[in-house]
Amino acid sequence: MAKGHRTQIKRDRNEQKDTRPSAKLSYARVSVRKACFVLDAIRGKDVRTALAIVEYNPRYASELITKLLKSAIANAENNNGMNVDNLFIEECYANKGPTMKRIRPRAQGRAYRIEKRTSHITIVLNER
């Protein structure tokens, strides 16, 4: 249990807050495994190169990650006042989201389960 007054606890929590520009997409209708193929290709690259890689990637997840990357760049530029030319992708990862369960009718009255997986994709930028 934390000690101190409630406002002091909140102040301490806000001091430890991460100030790096980031963007998060929750409940994306793509599995973590498929999103990570695209994220692995851009991890550690500078922003211009990463955008070029993602733009010409044929996977469905690359469309989502393109929008997310542009959002993170805009956050860095507008909220943190960073220069776009110095930005690079420090972290990018996909976490598992909730799975939607659906039923597929099969022969002889049976039913198979279809799992429509979702993910939470996060991109964190930093300046060189």
Side-chain angles (χ1 to χ4, degrees):
M1 190 80 183
K3 296 192 176 188
H5 197 268
R6 188 176 3 173
T7 54
Q8 183 61 42
I9 293 169
K10 287 184 178 180
R11 246 184 249 122
D12 293 342
R13 193 182 317 132
N14 284 338
E15 285 175 7
Q16 298 166 358
K17 202 168 193 179
D18 194 8
T19 58
R20 299 175 298 179
S22 64
K24 183 174 182 180
L25 173 63
S26 296
Y27 306 104
R29 268 291 290 121
V30 63
S31 70
V32 174
R33 196 170 176 184
K34 292 175 183 176
C36 280
F37 280 122
V38 181
L39 292 173
D40 290 343
I42 63 170
R43 187 174 290 116
K45 303 258 192 314
D46 65 288
V47 169
R48 303 278 183 208
T49 309
L51 269 175
I53 290 170
V54 173
E55 286 284 338
Y56 293 103
N57 196 324
R59 292 181 177 272
Y60 169 73
S62 63
E63 295 174 24
L64 304 173
I65 293 171
T66 302
K67 287 177 73 172
L68 190 63
L69 185 54
K70 287 179 181 176
S71 174
I73 293 167
N75 290 342
E77 202 172 7
N78 297 323
N79 301 347
N80 297 40
M82 295 180 167
N83 188 6
V84 181
D85 298 327
N86 300 336
L87 291 175
F88 74 102
I89 298 174
E90 190 165 58
E91 293 178 29
C92 58
Y93 52 89
N95 292 330
K96 185 175 177 282
T99 303
M100 297 186 288
K101 278 97 174 175
R102 300 291 181 262
I103 299 299
R104 174 99 177 138
R106 302 300 289 178
Q108 298 180 356
R110 292 183 176 89
Y112 282 4
R113 174 177 279 178
I114 293 177
E115 295 185 338
K116 296 181 180 275
R117 299 180 191 277
T118 63
S119 59
H120 306 307
I121 305 169
T122 307
I123 294 178
V124 180
L125 305 178
N126 211 344
E127 261 187 331
R128 279 214 168 97

